[in-house]
CSV table of all heavy atoms in Angstrom, one decimal:
chain,number,residue,atom,x,y,z
A,1,GLY,N,0.8,-1.2,0.0
A,1,GLY,CA,0.0,0.0,0.0
A,1,GLY,C,0.8,1.2,0.0
A,1,GLY,O,0.6,2.3,-0.8
A,2,GLY,N,1.8,1.2,0.8
A,2,GLY,CA,2.7,2.5,0.9
A,2,GLY,C,3.4,2.7,-0.4
A,2,GLY,O,3.6,3.9,-0.9
A,3,LYS,N,3.9,1.7,-1.1
A,3,LYS,CA,4.6,1.9,-2.3
A,3,LYS,C,3.7,2.4,-3.5
A,3,LYS,O,4.0,3.2,-4.3
A,3,LYS,CB,5.3,0.6,-2.8
A,3,LYS,CG,6.5,0.2,-2.0
A,3,LYS,CD,7.1,-1.2,-2.4
A,3,LYS,CE,8.2,-1.6,-1.5
A,3,LYS,NZ,8.7,-3.0,-1.9
A,4,THR,N,2.4,1.9,-3.3
A,4,THR,CA,1.4,2.3,-4.3
A,4,THR,C,1.2,3.9,-4.2
A,4,THR,O,1.0,4.6,-5.1
A,4,THR,CB,0.1,1.6,-4.2
A,4,THR,OG1,0.4,0.2,-4.4
A,4,THR,CG2,-1.0,2.1,-5.1
A,5,VAL,N,1.0,4.3,-2.9
A,5,VAL,CA,0.8,5.8,-2.7
A,5,VAL,C,1.9,6.5,-3.2
A,5,VAL,O,1.7,7.5,-3.9
A,5,VAL,CB,0.5,6.0,-1.1
A,5,VAL,CG1,0.4,7.5,-0.9
A,5,VAL,CG2,-0.7,5.3,-0.6
A,6,ALA,N,3.2,6.1,-2.8
A,6,ALA,CA,4.4,6.8,-3.3
A,6,ALA,C,4.4,6.9,-4.8
A,6,ALA,O,4.7,7.9,-5.5
A,6,ALA,CB,5.6,6.2,-2.7
A,7,SER,N,4.1,5.8,-5.5
A,7,SER,CA,4.2,5.7,-7.0
A,7,SER,C,3.2,6.5,-7.6
A,7,SER,O,3.5,7.3,-8.5
A,7,SER,CB,3.9,4.2,-7.4
A,7,SER,OG,3.9,4.1,-8.7
A,8,THR,N,1.9,6.6,-7.0
A,8,THR,CA,0.8,7.5,-7.6
A,8,THR,C,1.2,8.9,-7.4
A,8,THR,O,1.1,9.7,-8.4
A,8,THR,CB,-0.4,7.2,-6.8
A,8,THR,OG1,-0.8,5.8,-7.1
A,8,THR,CG2,-1.6,8.0,-7.5
A,9,LEU,N,1.7,9.3,-6.2
A,9,LEU,CA,2.1,10.7,-6.1
A,9,LEU,C,3.3,11.1,-7.0
A,9,LEU,O,3.4,12.1,-7.6
A,9,LEU,CB,2.5,11.0,-4.7
A,9,LEU,CG,1.4,11.0,-3.7
A,9,LEU,CD1,2.0,11.1,-2.2
A,9,LEU,CD2,0.5,12.1,-3.9
A,10,GLY,N,4.3,10.1,-7.2
A,10,GLY,CA,5.4,10.4,-8.2
A,10,GLY,C,4.9,10.5,-9.5
A,10,GLY,O,5.5,11.4,-10.3
A,11,GLU,N,4.0,9.8,-10.0
A,11,GLU,CA,3.4,9.9,-11.3
A,11,GLU,C,2.7,11.2,-11.6
A,11,GLU,O,2.6,11.7,-12.7
A,11,GLU,CB,2.4,8.7,-11.6
A,11,GLU,CG,3.2,7.3,-11.8
A,11,GLU,CD,2.1,6.3,-11.8
A,11,GLU,OE1,0.9,6.5,-11.7
A,11,GLU,OE2,2.6,5.1,-11.9
A,12,SER,N,2.3,11.8,-10.4
A,12,SER,CA,1.6,13.1,-10.6
A,12,SER,C,2.6,14.3,-10.5
A,12,SER,O,2.2,15.4,-10.5
A,12,SER,CB,0.5,13.3,-9.5
A,12,SER,OG,-0.5,12.3,-9.5
A,13,GLY,N,3.8,14.0,-10.4
A,13,GLY,CA,4.9,15.0,-10.3
A,13,GLY,C,5.4,15.4,-9.0
A,13,GLY,O,6.3,16.3,-8.9
A,14,GLN,N,4.9,14.8,-7.9
A,14,GLN,CA,5.3,15.1,-6.6
A,14,GLN,C,6.6,14.3,-6.2
A,14,GLN,O,6.7,13.2,-6.7
A,14,GLN,CB,4.2,14.8,-5.5
A,14,GLN,CG,3.2,15.9,-5.4
A,14,GLN,CD,1.9,15.6,-6.2
A,14,GLN,OE1,1.8,14.6,-6.8
A,14,GLN,NE2,1.0,16.5,-6.1
A,15,ARG,N,7.4,15.0,-5.4
A,15,ARG,CA,8.6,14.3,-5.0
A,15,ARG,C,8.3,13.5,-3.7
A,15,ARG,O,8.0,14.0,-2.6
A,15,ARG,CB,9.7,15.4,-4.7
A,15,ARG,CG,11.1,14.8,-4.5
A,15,ARG,CD,12.1,15.9,-4.3
A,15,ARG,NE,13.4,15.4,-4.2
A,15,ARG,CZ,14.4,16.0,-3.4
A,15,ARG,NH1,14.1,17.2,-2.8
A,15,ARG,NH2,15.6,15.5,-3.4
A,16,THR,N,8.5,12.2,-3.8
A,16,THR,CA,8.1,11.4,-2.7
A,16,THR,C,8.8,10.0,-2.8
A,16,THR,O,9.5,9.7,-3.8
A,16,THR,CB,6.5,11.1,-2.7
A,16,THR,OG1,6.2,10.4,-1.6
A,16,THR,CG2,6.2,10.3,-3.9
A,17,ALA,N,8.8,9.3,-1.6
A,17,ALA,CA,9.4,8.0,-1.6
A,17,ALA,C,8.7,7.1,-0.4
A,17,ALA,O,8.0,7.7,0.3
A,17,ALA,CB,10.9,8.1,-1.3
A,18,TYR,N,9.1,5.8,-0.4
A,18,TYR,CA,8.5,5.1,0.6
A,18,TYR,C,9.6,4.3,1.3
A,18,TYR,O,10.6,3.9,0.8
A,18,TYR,CB,7.6,3.9,0.0
A,18,TYR,CG,7.1,3.0,1.0
A,18,TYR,CD1,6.1,3.2,1.9
A,18,TYR,CD2,7.7,1.6,1.1
A,18,TYR,CE1,5.7,2.4,2.9
A,18,TYR,CE2,7.4,0.8,2.0
A,18,TYR,CZ,6.3,1.1,2.9
A,18,TYR,OH,5.9,0.2,3.9
A,19,LEU,N,9.4,4.2,2.7
A,19,LEU,CA,10.3,3.4,3.6
A,19,LEU,C,9.4,2.5,4.5
A,19,LEU,O,8.3,3.0,5.0
A,19,LEU,CB,11.1,4.3,4.5
A,19,LEU,CG,12.3,5.0,3.8
A,19,LEU,CD1,13.0,5.9,4.8
A,19,LEU,CD2,13.3,3.9,3.3
A,20,HIS,N,9.8,1.3,4.7
A,20,HIS,CA,9.1,0.5,5.7
A,20,HIS,C,9.4,1.0,7.1
A,20,HIS,O,10.6,1.3,7.4
A,20,HIS,CB,9.6,-0.9,5.6
A,20,HIS,CG,9.0,-1.9,6.6
A,20,HIS,ND1,7.8,-2.5,6.2
A,20,HIS,CD2,9.3,-2.2,7.8
A,20,HIS,CE1,7.5,-3.3,7.3
A,20,HIS,NE2,8.4,-3.1,8.3
A,21,LEU,N,8.4,1.1,7.9
A,21,LEU,CA,8.5,1.6,9.3
A,21,LEU,C,7.5,1.0,10.2
A,21,LEU,O,6.4,1.4,10.2
A,21,LEU,CB,8.5,3.2,9.4
A,21,LEU,CG,8.5,3.7,10.8
A,21,LEU,CD1,9.7,3.4,11.6
A,21,LEU,CD2,8.4,5.2,10.7
A,22,ASP,N,7.9,0.2,11.2
A,22,ASP,CA,7.2,-0.3,12.2
A,22,ASP,C,7.4,0.6,13.4
A,22,ASP,O,8.5,0.6,14.0
A,22,ASP,CB,7.5,-1.8,12.5
A,22,ASP,CG,6.6,-2.3,13.7
A,22,ASP,OD1,5.9,-1.6,14.4
A,22,ASP,OD2,6.7,-3.6,13.9
A,23,VAL,N,6.5,1.4,13.8
A,23,VAL,CA,6.8,2.4,14.8
A,23,VAL,C,7.1,2.0,16.1
A,23,VAL,O,7.5,2.8,17.1
A,23,VAL,CB,5.6,3.4,14.9
A,23,VAL,CG1,5.3,4.2,13.6
A,23,VAL,CG2,4.3,2.7,15.4
A,24,VAL,N,6.9,0.7,16.4
A,24,VAL,CA,7.4,0.2,17.7
A,24,VAL,C,8.8,-0.1,17.8
A,24,VAL,O,9.3,-0.5,18.8
A,24,VAL,CB,6.5,-1.0,18.2
A,24,VAL,CG1,5.0,-0.7,18.1
A,24,VAL,CG2,6.8,-2.3,17.4
A,25,SER,N,9.6,-0.1,16.6
A,25,SER,CA,10.9,-0.4,16.6
A,25,SER,C,11.8,0.8,16.6
A,25,SER,O,11.8,1.6,15.7
A,25,SER,CB,11.2,-1.2,15.2
A,25,SER,OG,12.6,-1.3,15.1
A,26,GLU,N,12.6,0.9,17.6
A,26,GLU,CA,13.5,2.1,17.8
A,26,GLU,C,14.5,2.1,16.6
A,26,GLU,O,14.8,3.1,16.0
A,26,GLU,CB,14.3,2.0,19.1
A,26,GLU,CG,15.0,3.2,19.4
A,26,GLU,CD,15.4,3.5,20.8
A,26,GLU,OE1,15.5,2.5,21.5
A,26,GLU,OE2,15.7,4.6,21.1
A,27,GLN,N,15.0,0.9,16.3
A,27,GLN,CA,15.9,0.8,15.2
A,27,GLN,C,15.4,1.3,13.8
A,27,GLN,O,16.0,2.0,13.1
A,27,GLN,CB,16.5,-0.6,15.0
A,27,GLN,CG,17.6,-0.7,13.9
A,27,GLN,CD,18.1,-2.2,13.8
A,27,GLN,OE1,17.4,-3.2,14.2
A,27,GLN,NE2,19.2,-2.4,13.2
A,28,GLN,N,14.2,0.9,13.6
A,28,GLN,CA,13.5,1.3,12.3
A,28,GLN,C,13.2,2.8,12.3
A,28,GLN,O,13.3,3.4,11.3
A,28,GLN,CB,12.2,0.5,12.1
A,28,GLN,CG,12.5,-1.0,11.7
A,28,GLN,CD,11.3,-1.7,11.3
A,28,GLN,OE1,10.3,-1.2,10.7
A,28,GLN,NE2,11.2,-3.1,11.6
A,29,TRP,N,13.0,3.4,13.5
A,29,TRP,CA,12.8,4.9,13.5
A,29,TRP,C,14.2,5.5,13.2
A,29,TRP,O,14.2,6.5,12.4
A,29,TRP,CB,12.4,5.3,14.9
A,29,TRP,CG,10.9,5.5,15.0
A,29,TRP,CD1,9.9,4.8,15.7
A,29,TRP,CD2,10.2,6.5,14.3
A,29,TRP,NE1,8.7,5.4,15.5
A,29,TRP,CE2,8.8,6.4,14.7
A,29,TRP,CE3,10.5,7.6,13.4
A,29,TRP,CZ2,7.7,7.2,14.2
A,29,TRP,CZ3,9.5,8.4,12.9
A,29,TRP,CH2,8.1,8.2,13.3
A,30,GLN,N,15.1,5.0,13.7
A,30,GLN,CA,16.5,5.6,13.4
A,30,GLN,C,16.8,5.5,11.9
A,30,GLN,O,17.3,6.5,11.3
A,30,GLN,CB,17.6,4.9,14.2
A,30,GLN,CG,17.5,5.2,15.7
A,30,GLN,CD,18.4,4.3,16.5
A,30,GLN,OE1,18.5,3.0,16.3
A,30,GLN,NE2,19.1,4.9,17.5
A,31,GLN,N,16.5,4.4,11.3
A,31,GLN,CA,16.7,4.2,9.9
A,31,GLN,C,15.8,5.1,9.0
A,31,GLN,O,16.3,5.6,8.0
A,31,GLN,CB,16.6,2.7,9.6
A,31,GLN,CG,17.6,1.8,10.2
A,31,GLN,CD,17.3,0.3,10.0
A,31,GLN,OE1,16.1,0.0,9.7
A,31,GLN,NE2,18.2,-0.6,10.3
A,32,ALA,N,14.6,5.2,9.5
A,32,ALA,CA,13.6,6.0,8.7
A,32,ALA,C,14.1,7.5,8.7
A,32,ALA,O,14.0,8.2,7.6
A,32,ALA,CB,12.2,5.8,9.2
A,33,VAL,N,14.4,8.0,9.8
A,33,VAL,CA,14.9,9.4,9.9
A,33,VAL,C,16.1,9.7,9.1
A,33,VAL,O,16.3,10.5,8.3
A,33,VAL,CB,14.9,9.9,11.3
A,33,VAL,CG1,15.6,11.3,11.4
A,33,VAL,CG2,13.6,9.9,12.1
A,34,ALA,N,17.0,8.7,9.3
A,34,ALA,CA,18.3,8.8,8.6
A,34,ALA,C,18.1,8.7,7.1
A,34,ALA,O,18.8,9.4,6.3
A,34,ALA,CB,19.3,7.8,9.1
A,35,GLY,N,17.3,7.8,6.7
A,35,GLY,CA,16.9,7.6,5.3
A,35,GLY,C,16.3,8.8,4.6
A,35,GLY,O,16.6,9.2,3.5
A,36,THR,N,15.4,9.5,5.4
A,36,THR,CA,14.7,10.7,4.9
A,36,THR,C,15.8,11.8,4.7
A,36,THR,O,15.7,12.5,3.7
A,36,THR,CB,13.6,11.1,5.9
A,36,THR,OG1,12.7,10.1,6.0
A,36,THR,CG2,12.9,12.4,5.4
A,37,VAL,N,16.6,12.0,5.8
A,37,VAL,CA,17.5,13.1,5.7
A,37,VAL,C,18.5,12.8,4.5
A,37,VAL,O,18.9,13.7,3.8
A,37,VAL,CB,18.3,13.3,7.1
A,37,VAL,CG1,19.5,14.2,6.9
A,37,VAL,CG2,17.3,13.7,8.1
A,38,GLU,N,19.1,11.6,4.4
A,38,GLU,CA,19.9,11.2,3.4
A,38,GLU,C,19.4,11.5,1.9
A,38,GLU,O,20.1,12.1,1.1
A,38,GLU,CB,20.4,9.8,3.5
A,38,GLU,CG,21.4,9.4,2.4
A,38,GLU,CD,21.8,7.9,2.6
A,38,GLU,OE1,21.4,7.3,3.6
A,38,GLU,OE2,22.6,7.4,1.8
A,39,GLN,N,18.1,11.0,1.8
A,39,GLN,CA,17.5,11.1,0.4
A,39,GLN,C,17.0,12.6,0.1
A,39,GLN,O,17.2,13.0,-1.1
A,39,GLN,CB,16.3,10.2,0.3
A,39,GLN,CG,15.8,10.1,-1.0
A,39,GLN,CD,14.9,8.9,-1.3
A,39,GLN,OE1,14.8,8.0,-0.4
A,39,GLN,NE2,14.2,8.8,-2.4
A,40,PHE,N,16.5,13.3,1.1
A,40,PHE,CA,15.8,14.5,0.8
A,40,PHE,C,16.5,15.8,1.5
A,40,PHE,O,16.1,16.9,1.3
A,40,PHE,CB,14.4,14.5,1.2
A,40,PHE,CG,13.6,13.5,0.5
A,40,PHE,CD1,12.6,12.6,1.2
A,40,PHE,CD2,13.6,13.4,-0.9
A,40,PHE,CE1,11.9,11.7,0.5
A,40,PHE,CE2,12.8,12.5,-1.6
A,40,PHE,CZ,12.0,11.6,-0.9
């Protein structure tokens, strides 16, 4: 579902991306923030 949302927005010209994030995981939160900063 997340990849579909990102793909649809991208096709409309918006700058977007998708990352897997289980919010109960501290490690995944660290990766999501770092990934966002690195990419954008």
